[in-house]
Amino acid sequence: MRPRSAALRLTARGPRPSALPGHAPSASRGGELARRLALPCLLPFAPPPGTVAGRRGEGQGSAMEQGEAASSPAAEEKAAAAAGEEAEEEEDDFGYQLFPDRNKKPQSFLVRSLFTFHNRCQLMLRMTLDTNPYAQLLLEAMKQSGCTVFNDRHFSCENCDGCVSGGFDSATSQIVLCQNNIRHQSHMNRVVTHELIHAFDHCRAHVDWFKNVKHLACSEIRAANLSGDCTLMNEIARFKFGLKGHHQTCVRDRAIRSILAVRKVSKETAEKAVDEVFDACFNDLEPFGRIPHSKTDAKRAYRDFQNRDRYNANL
């Protein structure tokens, strides 16, 4: 909601865009759409094992048939190996299976209003964008970075798999909010903040969401660290308790879980990627400048962010 250098803040940047890159979602499964959600590209057609591509007629004699029979096991073995590689490439759909509405025709307004939670999702989203200091700071930071966010263009309330609450689709620059799984305003606040951090990273850095798992790991670390996912009250609600270093443990665990949700990689691979970039990405606190452990901290960070801009304007 994907769906994609070690630390994002160290990644080379190009010219900042005037707005979030906006183009209509493509029905094709190629190009960049092939993270937080991409789809596998179409594979080339291969003839079935045992068939001969250049056959000219049936009267070629028994020698050709014997040659085909002799080469058949080797050809089948080679074809099976190629098919295995193709299946492995096709296996990872970068989390799109968690967001089935991404590839469906949009429902009519009447259907969405009467038979889905779309209206409730839109109302909670508007409340978050208008009142939540985490979201307000991120929106202001993205605007100053040249990536203005528009509610009707860059947010989409959709039905999702039961195990996810949202995602960032870098192919369309959209934040997906799972209207069937987000039932409380506080939950909406956390999901929007989490996904806006991914959008902020997408805006300010060249993030390879699909091929570089370290880039994904870095953004997941930052999102878990700065969105309020690991606050004391949230951890108590999950029946998880700890004293020294518990916040870091929570951030690491949630980053690993997020990677495993949208990538077909082993737990060892996800843990290795997170551990290799953890220190640099955990200490990258942009744009908050601090870890906002509560809404009060977020308000102070938002005020400091605004004052910092005024100070820079006066220089």
Side-chain angles (χ1 to χ4, degrees):
M1 279 278 290
R2 13 275 262 15
R4 37 50 305 195
S5 69
L8 291 175
R9 64 196 182 102
L10 299 179
T11 306
R13 295 184 294 175
R16 289 173 175 167
S18 58
L20 272 174
H23 55 273
S26 172
S28 168
R29 295 195 169 217
E32 187 184 6
L33 193 59
R35 126 213 32 211
R36 171 163 219 217
L37 302 166
L39 299 175
C41 297
L42 294 175
L43 297 172
F45 171 79
T51 60
V52 181
R55 210 162 178 176
R56 293 186 179 179
E58 301 298 329
Q60 298 295 325
S62 60
M64 179 177 286
E65 294 176 1
Q66 292 173 2
E68 291 173 18
S71 62
S72 176
E76 288 182 4
E77 185 177 344
K78 192 176 293 186
E85 292 177 1
E86 291 174 354
E88 188 175 341
E89 292 176 2
E90 193 176 22
E91 185 179 328
D92 195 345
D93 69 353
F94 300 95
Y96 265 110
Q97 83 281 1
L98 303 175
F99 305 92
D101 284 1
R102 291 274 84 190
N103 297 316
K104 291 182 180 178
K105 184 178 180 181
Q107 296 174 320
S108 67
F109 177 78
L110 182 62
V111 171
R112 286 185 300 173
S113 301
L114 296 179
F115 301 106
T116 71
F117 300 105
H118 186 79
N119 286 346
R120 183 185 70 181
C121 176
Q122 288 289 338
L123 288 173
M124 288 194 293
L125 171 62
R126 174 51 56 195
M127 179 70 70
T128 297
L129 299 181
D130 289 344
T131 64
N132 185 263
Y134 291 87
Q136 290 175 326
L137 192 158
L138 286 161
L139 291 173
E140 185 67 23
M142 291 185 68
K143 183 177 181 180
Q144 293 189 16
S145 296
C147 300
T148 302
V149 177
F150 299 99
N151 183 10
D152 56 346
R153 164 63 184 86
H154 296 112
F155 292 93
S156 179
C157 290
E158 301 176 8
N159 289 321
C160 310
D161 186 273
C163 68
V164 293
S165 300
F168 173 64
D169 188 349
S170 64
T172 58
S173 296
Q174 277 191 322
I175 289 173
V176 182
L177 301 171
C178 299
Q179 59 192 16
N180 55 321
N181 296 331
I182 302 176
R183 298 180 177 86
H184 307 289
Q185 187 63 50
S186 60
H187 190 190
M188 175 66 79
N189 293 344
R190 291 199 307 274
V191 173
V192 170
T193 302
H194 185 109
E195 304 308 333
L196 277 174
I197 291 171
H198 290 313
F200 177 74
D201 290 341
H202 185 65
C203 169
R204 68 171 182 153
H206 295 306
V207 187
D208 189 349
W209 298 101
F210 309 133
K211 296 181 180 179
N212 193 327
V213 70
K214 290 183 182 180
H215 286 196
L216 175 62
C218 188
S219 191
E220 292 294 354
I221 290 167
R222 282 175 33 76
N225 187 29
L226 301 174
S227 65
D229 285 346
C230 290
T231 60
L232 177 62
M233 295 307 299
N234 286 334
E235 283 294 272
I236 291 176
R238 300 179 189 120
F239 299 101
K240 293 184 178 181
F241 308 95
L243 297 175
K244 186 176 180 180
H246 183 71
H247 180 75
Q248 288 88 332
T249 301
C250 172
V251 169
R252 179 181 181 275
D253 291 345
R254 294 189 70 81
I256 292 171
R257 287 180 55 192
S258 294
I259 294 172
L260 293 176
V262 297
R263 293 292 182 275
K264 297 289 179 64
V265 298
S266 66
K267 186 176 182 180
E268 292 73 18
T269 300
E271 289 176 344
K272 182 180 178 182
V274 169
D275 290 340
E276 287 182 355
V277 302
F278 188 85
D279 289 340
C281 300
F282 183 84
N283 291 304
D284 182 0
L285 305 179
E286 286 299 316
F288 291 90
R290 68 182 78 189
I291 298 176
H293 292 288
S294 65
K295 187 174 286 189
T296 301
D297 284 346
K299 288 180 179 178
R300 290 172 182 163
Y302 186 31
R303 185 172 62 247
D304 291 345
F305 182 84
Q306 293 175 313
N307 291 336
R308 179 176 61 185
D309 295 334
R310 294 191 188 103
Y311 174 77
N312 292 336
N314 291 331
L315 290 179

